[in-house]
Amino acid sequence: MGELLVVGDRILIQPSDGEEQTSGGLVLPETVALQDNVRSGYVVKTGPGYLMPNPEYTEDDSWKPDGSMVRYLPLQAEPGDYAFFLRDKAIELRYNDQEYLIVSHGAVLALVRNPEEEPSDTTLDDLDDLWADE
């Protein structure tokens, strides 16, 4: 079996199911968690993005290396993000004996990204240092 490719604006998510624990330590059984309209899980893969026409394409220049009629606008979700999405928009999928969900990017409500992986914005700190030197 080949590699699983996610197409278009879809996201492959490994769901967080079963019992959930609240911040106060209360364990919610799966039946209570299923009553919510929102589900969550980790983003495993994303599709290439939204299909758009390539404004630089002309039939006269079809010999150019980027001679494709279409381009993709990338998605905001990235592998490793924790996603909150609408439960009724998810499609269940079993691949290599693992349970996954396919969700359209439009059904994602929020993403949690690991802050250690994001580049730190030190621009304001650098400006404060400049002002302190004067």
Side-chain angles (χ1 to χ4, degrees), residues 62-124:
S62 60
W63 53 269
K64 288 185 178 179
D66 190 20
S68 177
M69 292 177 61
V70 296
R71 282 189 177 173
Y72 289 95
L73 180 64
L75 303 177
Q76 190 173 5
E78 297 175 358
D81 289 349
Y82 192 76
F84 294 94
F85 53 92
L86 297 172
R87 175 180 297 280
D88 60 342
K89 301 293 183 184
I91 298 170
E92 294 181 11
L93 173 73
R94 186 165 190 82
Y95 180 73
N96 285 343
D97 295 327
Q98 287 279 338
E99 294 291 331
Y100 295 104
L101 299 171
I102 297 283
V103 179
S104 174
H105 195 267
V108 175
L109 302 172
L111 296 167
V112 177
R113 189 162 290 150
N114 191 352
E116 289 88 37
E117 294 176 6
E118 289 186 26
S120 61
D121 185 13
T122 58
T123 308
L124 293 177

Side-chain angles (χ1 to χ4, degrees), residues 1-8 10-15 42-48 79 91-103:
M1 187 180 292
E3 179 184 4
L4 180 65
L5 299 174
V6 181
V7 297
R10 291 174 181 82
I11 301 170
L12 182 69
I13 296 179
Q14 186 172 18
Y42 286 96
V43 176
V44 177
K45 276 187 152 186
T46 63
I91 298 170
E92 294 181 11
L93 173 73
R94 186 165 190 82
Y95 180 73
N96 285 343
D97 295 327
Q98 287 279 338
E99 294 291 331
Y100 295 104
L101 299 171
I102 297 283
V103 179

Side-chain angles (χ1 to χ4, degrees), residues 13-31:
I13 296 179
Q14 186 172 18
S16 298
D17 285 334
E19 294 182 342
E20 296 181 10
Q21 186 170 359
T22 65
S23 59
L26 179 64
V27 176
L28 300 175
E30 184 177 0
T31 55

